[in-house]
Amino acid sequence: MELDDLYRRVIMDHYKKPRNRGKLDENSVTIELNNPTCGDRISLQLIVEDNIVKDARHTGEGCSISISSASMMTEAIKGKTVEQALDYADRFSHLMQGEEVTFDDYEDLEALSGVNKFPARIKCATLAWNALKKGINENN
């Protein structure tokens, strides 16, 4: 199996069975963003306590890239410090710019590396990450 095929399968798995889909009942920070160019929208909820991302959930609608990215992001940041979550967001931004980046403890994110070949889709992939940064900034 070629790497591109594997990446496509990872993306489609997260799209068809998104992780952390749903809403949080507890006191959480809620961030709503949309990408008007293609209609993607996300509502991201975060619980941050003692500088740790205790939980992250998402709802919304969008293309396979947008939903997969939100699913992967919430999986990657849960249990991480705020600084680690922001580091992931920075590295993901570099990945979208075509730079070689690794995510040693959550490799699924690397499946989105090919998105940078399609500039119109970069906004789809980064929507959840922009919501994360906004939510962390609002929480601090």
Side-chain angles (χ1 to χ4, degrees):
M1 178 185 318
E2 290 188 29
L3 193 57
D4 285 345
D5 290 337
L6 176 63
Y7 283 172
R8 257 191 297 281
R9 287 180 187 200
V10 170
I11 290 168
M12 290 311 293
D13 181 55
H14 278 274
Y15 175 63
K16 291 178 180 177
K17 295 179 278 187
R19 282 51 154 193
N20 304 303
R21 185 114 170 139
K23 295 186 176 202
L24 294 169
D25 294 329
E26 303 174 43
N27 293 331
S28 61
V29 175
T30 301
I31 308 92
E32 296 187 7
L33 291 180
N34 67 27
N35 178 0
T37 58
C38 70
D40 295 337
R41 61 179 186 79
I42 186 172
S43 177
L44 176 67
Q45 290 184 300
L46 299 170
I47 294 178
V48 179
E49 295 173 356
D50 300 324
N51 202 43
I52 303 287
V53 179
K54 298 285 186 180
D55 206 352
R57 301 288 170 123
H58 64 97
T59 58
E61 299 173 352
C63 66
S64 60
I65 299 297
S66 177
I67 299 297
S68 297
S69 185
S71 174
M72 292 176 197
M73 184 213 49
T74 56
E75 282 288 283
I77 65 166
K78 282 176 34 171
K80 301 285 191 253
T81 66
V82 167
E83 291 78 17
Q84 289 170 318
L86 290 173
D87 177 60
Y88 263 64
D90 287 341
R91 285 192 280 158
F92 190 79
S93 179
H94 288 285
L95 183 72
M96 291 298 101
Q97 294 169 26
E99 297 175 26
E100 191 169 322
V101 177
T102 58
F103 297 91
D104 297 328
D105 54 344
Y106 195 73
E107 295 175 351
D108 280 10
L109 288 168
E110 294 170 27
L112 292 168
S113 63
V115 171
N116 67 49
K117 296 174 187 151
F118 307 96
R121 303 304 300 266
I122 292 172
K123 287 183 180 180
C124 303
T126 57
L127 185 64
W129 296 91
N130 291 335
L132 170 67
K133 289 189 268 189
K134 184 177 180 185
I136 288 175
N137 287 333
E138 287 179 6
N139 197 48
N140 287 334

